[in-house]
């Protein structure tokens, strides 16, 4: 039987710079999945938070001449503000500088040590500060970090090592037994390739970096920032704490969403730590691609940035949420450009759905004094909706998010075509009963198409769908709707008054 609880997490961004639209993209996708699960009545727990320790942040704070704690406090405030701006419905927010989190990190380090999975040795190699990654000489490309292309630092220090090498075969077995542990398949194959080459033990402590969680059994050492950060997914639930009820209720995570650059940390290191602790692995690690600007990777240093405040101001939140999920093929890289945004927004939002709502409501106002006619049964219509609903939900379940929207849009445009074909403005001039009945039937069916489309689109565009339901005179707050339980999902009897008309998606003039 399908589990009723649903635990979903995002990666926790580094607090060394303001968030860019690529990181926001991950929040939007996870928010949509979380909202879908709530809408379907599942007990959903959606976690995000911030990664606040490590050398990169220590450096950024020093450059600004403030303490590391003051620095992250300011950055976290801004991240929380942006989550609100983008209407992200997380149930909880974890900071890796929370005392409770730090305590869990220490409990885990003690346990790994007691299990015999830690040992002390000397690390000599390179370190990429922006990626917070240890690199061996063979991994460098032209002497630089293979991931971000930046300069590396030479490091020689005593570290604690985690015996990652002992987990390679266990991880291969797990992935083979659970073929959808890593989604999509290309990423699973990438991880299997990596595992088959053999794993090396990894450093899990630093002595040169003090902005971190102290290793409880050795005061010279601080926990490596990645180990500290990965633990957030269970520390946020109270693992190994006095109150671990959330951990018992929600773990294992149903979906852990990450970008492709941090795959090894989540699909190799994190599960190996969990195995050592004897804790279940997450059900799915879901990997998305990069959001690019044109063909370029977002990069502050190269000035290729997409500022989420500027974009929100210019285009509105729901338009951006729609564009990013409709235009990007989930799992692959995709691009944001102003012309592509304007084209998609004007065609799909302003024209297809925006116009459908505004002309339908105008006709109901003009021809039926703002009362949606009573329900007229139409087996064809019901069949079309059943097909849309089941296919759209199935596509969402397979992370075919763009395809899910395409399916819903076919339904929206069926309603547009129904208006064109039946010409309500001509029917309204007739006094024959059959034309009056036909006009009622068309107006009911189109209003019902709008209502159903708005319900299924709530996760994507919560504010706009609320506006649509308000205009249809439906007194329900989108955040409270539980489709199956509320009976709102089924059909609507009509014979109700519409609400005040509002513009949904004003057309953007292409300059
Ligand atoms: O990696 N497009 O933090 P982060 C899409 N602190 N996704 C992007 C992106 C882009 N252009 N740029 C970044 C970290 N991301 C660690 C995570 S989790 C225990 C610790 C994604 O701020 C990136 O792939 O560099 C990651 O999933 C998230 O944003 C945070 O990235």
């Amino acid at each position: 039987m399908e589990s009723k609880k649903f635990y979903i997490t995002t990666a926790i961004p580094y607090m060394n710079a303001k968030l860019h639209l690529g990181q926001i993209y991950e929040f939007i996708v996870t928010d949509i999945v979380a909202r879908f699960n709530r809408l379907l009545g599942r007990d959903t727990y959606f976690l995000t938070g911030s990664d606040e320790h490590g050398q990169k942040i220590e450096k950024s704070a020093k450059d600004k001449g403030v303490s590391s704690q003051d620095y992250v406090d300011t950055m976290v405030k801004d991240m929380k503000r942006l989550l609100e701006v983008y209407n992200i419905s997380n149930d909880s927010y974890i900071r890796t500088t929370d005392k409770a989190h730090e305590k869990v990190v220490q409990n885990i380090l003690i346990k790994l040590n007691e299990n015999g999975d830690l040992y002390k040795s000397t690390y000599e190699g390179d370190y990429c500060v922006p990626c917070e990654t240890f690199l061996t000489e063979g991994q460098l490309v032209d002497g630089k970090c293979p991931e971000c292309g930046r300069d590396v630092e030479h490091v020689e220090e005593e570290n604690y090592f985690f015996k990652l090498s002992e987990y390679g075969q266990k991880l291969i077995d797990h992935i083979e037994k659970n073929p959808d542990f890593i989604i999509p398949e290309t990423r699973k194959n990438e991880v299997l390739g990596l595992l088959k080459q053999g794993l090396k033990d990894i450093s899990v402590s630093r002595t040169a970096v003090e902005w971190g969680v102290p290793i409880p059994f050795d005061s010279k050492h601080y926990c490596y920032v990645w180990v500290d950060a990965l633990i957030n997914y269970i520390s946020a639930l109270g693992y190994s704490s006095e109150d671990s009820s959330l951990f018992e209720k929600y773990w294992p995570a149903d979906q852990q969403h990450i970008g492709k650059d941090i795959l090894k940390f989540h699909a190799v290191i994190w599960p190996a730590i969990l195995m050592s602790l004897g804790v279940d692995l997450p059900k799915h690690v879901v990997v998305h691609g990069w959001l690019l600007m044109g063909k370029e990777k977002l990069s502050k240093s190269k000035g290729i940035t997409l500022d989420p405040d500027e974009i929100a101001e210019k285009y509105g939140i729901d338009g951006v949420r729609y564009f990013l999920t409709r235009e990007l093929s989930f799992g692959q890289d995709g691009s944001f450009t102003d012309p592509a945004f304007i084209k998609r927004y004007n065609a799909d939002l302003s024209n297809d759905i925006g116009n459908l709502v505004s002309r339908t409501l105008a006709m109901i106002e003009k021809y039926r004094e703002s009362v949606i006619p009573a329900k007229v049964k139409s087996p064809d219509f019901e069949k079309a909706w059943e097909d849309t609903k089941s296919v759209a939900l199935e596509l969402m379940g397979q992370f075919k998010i763009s395809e899910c929207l395409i399916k819903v849009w076919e339904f929206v445009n069926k309603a547009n075509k129904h208006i064109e074909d039946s010409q309500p403005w001509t029917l309204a001039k007739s006094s024959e009963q059959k034309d009056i009945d036909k006009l009622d039937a068309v107006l009911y069916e189109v209003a019902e198409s709008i209502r159903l489309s708005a319900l299924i689109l709530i996760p994507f565009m919560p504010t706009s769908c609320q506006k649509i339901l308000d205009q249809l005179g439906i007194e329900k707050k989108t955040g409270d709707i539980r489709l199956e339980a509320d009976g709102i999902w089924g059909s609507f009897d009509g014979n109700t008054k519409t609400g005040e008309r509002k513009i949904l998606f004003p057309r953007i003039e292409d300059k």
Side-chain angles (χ1 to χ4, degrees):
M1 215 176 80
E2 198 165 3
S3 143
K4 279 274 178 228
K5 68 90 187 167
F6 183 79
Y7 179 36
I8 178 166
T9 65
T10 69
I12 51 172
Y14 291 119
M15 288 296 102
N16 70 311
K18 182 179 178 180
L19 296 187
H20 58 64
L21 200 64
Q23 291 151 317
I24 299 278
Y25 168 64
E26 184 173 305
F27 298 141
I28 292 175
V29 170
T30 41
D31 183 59
I32 290 170
V33 177
R35 284 177 186 268
F36 250 110
N37 278 278
R38 283 193 206 106
L39 208 54
L40 294 173
R42 300 201 183 112
D43 175 0
T44 300
Y45 199 75
F46 173 21
L47 176 72
T48 189
S50 37
D51 190 352
E52 304 182 24
H53 287 132
Q55 194 172 354
K56 171 154 75 171
I57 287 167
E58 192 174 68
K59 248 186 173 165
S60 301
K62 230 178 237 156
D63 290 349
K64 282 239 161 24
V66 293
S67 75
S68 298
Q69 189 64 57
D70 286 349
Y71 182 70
V72 291
D73 286 348
T74 311
M75 303 307 283
V76 167
K77 228 184 240 163
D78 199 54
M79 168 156 168
K80 287 188 171 173
R81 180 189 63 77
L82 276 167
L83 291 175
E84 266 182 39
V85 169
Y86 275 85
N87 219 344
I88 306 302
S89 63
N90 53 301
D91 297 289
S92 184
Y93 186 100
I94 175 103
R95 297 185 57 174
T96 56
T97 54
D98 287 342
K99 290 289 160 256
H101 166 81
E102 296 186 354
K103 182 80 189 89
V104 177
V105 173
Q106 293 192 324
N107 294 345
I108 288 178
L109 289 165
I110 291 171
K111 188 134 194 233
L112 297 179
N113 199 32
E114 283 171 358
N115 289 350
D117 268 339
L118 299 189
Y119 64 92
K120 225 188 222 180
S121 183
T122 302
Y123 175 82
E124 194 192 342
D126 295 299
Y127 193 83
C128 173
V129 178
C131 296
E132 296 281 14
T133 307
F134 292 94
L135 297 160
T136 54
E137 209 171 313
Q139 290 176 293
L140 302 185
V141 175
D142 298 328
K144 297 191 192 278
C145 170
E147 187 57 51
C148 72
R150 281 179 272 205
D151 289 335
V152 292
E153 275 181 12
H154 192 73
V155 171
E156 189 178 344
E157 58 180 25
E158 188 183 57
N159 284 173
Y160 278 92
F161 283 74
F162 172 66
K163 292 183 185 164
L164 185 65
S165 58
E166 296 197 351
Y167 288 91
Q169 191 53 47
K170 290 181 193 143
L171 289 165
I172 294 175
D173 293 346
H174 182 81
I175 295 170
E176 284 174 351
K177 239 189 254 153
N178 301 276
D180 55 0
F181 172 56
I182 302 164
I183 297 170
E185 179 133 23
T186 46
R187 299 294 165 204
K188 175 184 91 172
N189 294 336
E190 191 179 322
V191 172
L192 279 174
L194 227 128
L195 292 170
K196 285 176 181 160
Q197 281 170 25
L199 295 174
K200 292 206 170 72
D201 294 345
I202 55 158
S203 288
V204 293
S205 76
R206 302 290 315 267
T207 49
V209 183
E210 294 189 359
W211 182 237
V213 180
I215 302 276
F217 41 85
D218 193 333
S219 60
K220 268 202 337 226
H221 291 254
Y222 292 84
C223 184
Y224 170 42
V225 62
W226 261 105
V227 171
D228 168 4
L230 287 165
I231 290 171
N232 90 85
Y233 303 126
I234 54 175
S235 72
L237 301 180
Y239 170 78
S240 79
S241 308
E242 212 166 287
D243 180 2
S244 59
S245 52
L246 286 175
F247 178 75
E248 265 116 50
K249 184 168 179 195
Y250 289 112
W251 191 262
D254 295 84
Q255 292 180 15
Q256 299 215 261
H257 285 246
I258 54 161
K260 63 180 186 181
D261 53 318
I262 55 175
L263 178 61
K264 186 178 168 193
F265 292 102
H266 285 81
V268 177
I269 298 175
W270 175 228
I273 292 174
L274 290 170
M275 281 176 173
S276 174
L277 296 173
V279 168
D280 286 344
L281 305 198
K283 291 187 194 154
H284 307 288
V285 175
V286 185
V287 191
H288 62 77
W290 286 101
L291 177 69
L292 311 171
M293 188 163 115
K295 288 199 170 95
E296 304 269 7
K297 200 162 152 181
L298 302 180
S299 153
K300 276 244 147 92
S301 50
K302 287 193 205 153
I304 305 164
T305 55
L306 285 167
D307 182 285
D309 282 312
E310 277 171 32
I311 304 269
E313 175 78 16
K314 204 151 87 178
Y315 296 131
I317 300 308
D318 280 354
V320 178
R321 289 174 63 108
Y322 175 78
F323 176 83
L324 291 176
T325 40
R326 170 64 182 81
E327 197 80 3
L328 270 69
S329 182
F330 187 75
Q332 289 169 20
D333 291 351
S335 165
F336 186 101
T337 64
D338 290 297
F341 179 89
I342 294 170
K343 193 166 167 216
R344 172 72 59 202
Y345 172 98
N346 281 343
D348 296 6
L349 298 180
S350 237
N351 279 359
D352 291 347
I353 198 162
N355 254 345
L356 174 67
V357 174
S358 88
R359 65 181 176 156
T360 303
L361 284 154
M363 288 190 292
I364 293 173
E365 185 178 308
K366 190 163 166 200
Y367 306 139
R368 293 294 180 260
E369 292 173 346
S370 300
V371 175
I372 300 172
K375 177 177 175 178
V376 181
K377 241 184 129 39
S378 157
D380 283 352
F381 173 76
E382 278 161 28
K383 201 166 152 284
W385 167 245
E386 275 310 315
D387 169 62
T388 303
K389 177 178 124 177
S390 63
V391 174
L393 292 179
E394 196 181 322
L395 288 167
M396 262 320 278
Q398 300 164 350
F399 299 100
K400 294 188 174 154
I401 305 176
S402 175
E403 290 85 342
C404 168
L405 287 168
I406 293 171
K407 187 73 194 171
V408 176
W409 248 253
E410 280 171 13
F411 187 70
V412 166
N413 282 327
K414 225 179 175 67
N416 275 321
K417 184 158 184 315
H418 194 33
I419 296 177
E420 298 309 319
D421 292 348
S422 54
Q423 305 227 346
W425 44 92
T426 312
L427 295 171
K429 286 187 197 132
S430 166
S431 52
E432 280 190 46
Q433 191 59 41
K434 76 168 178 28
D435 290 334
I436 296 171
D437 291 347
K438 187 158 184 216
L439 179 59
D440 278 348
V442 175
L443 293 179
Y444 168 80
E445 202 168 286
V446 175
E448 176 63 341
S449 300
I450 293 172
R451 187 187 72 92
L452 292 167
S453 306
L455 288 176
I456 208 164
L457 290 173
I458 289 172
F460 295 91
M461 301 186 286
T463 310
S464 306
C465 290
Q466 180 73 64
K467 278 195 198 162
I468 296 177
L469 295 180
D470 289 347
Q471 293 183 71
L472 288 172
I474 291 164
E475 286 170 5
K476 267 271 175 197
K477 292 288 155 231
T478 48
D480 301 332
I481 294 177
R482 300 288 174 269
L483 291 173
E484 306 297 341
D486 283 1
I488 187 174
W489 190 232
S491 94
F492 163 69
D493 289 338
N495 221 353
T496 51
K497 213 158 164 55
T498 57
E500 192 192 331
R501 280 166 58 197
K502 292 175 197 147
I503 297 199
L504 285 172
F505 301 107
R507 204 179 159 77
I508 302 172
E509 286 318 317
D510 198 357
K511 282 164 236 144

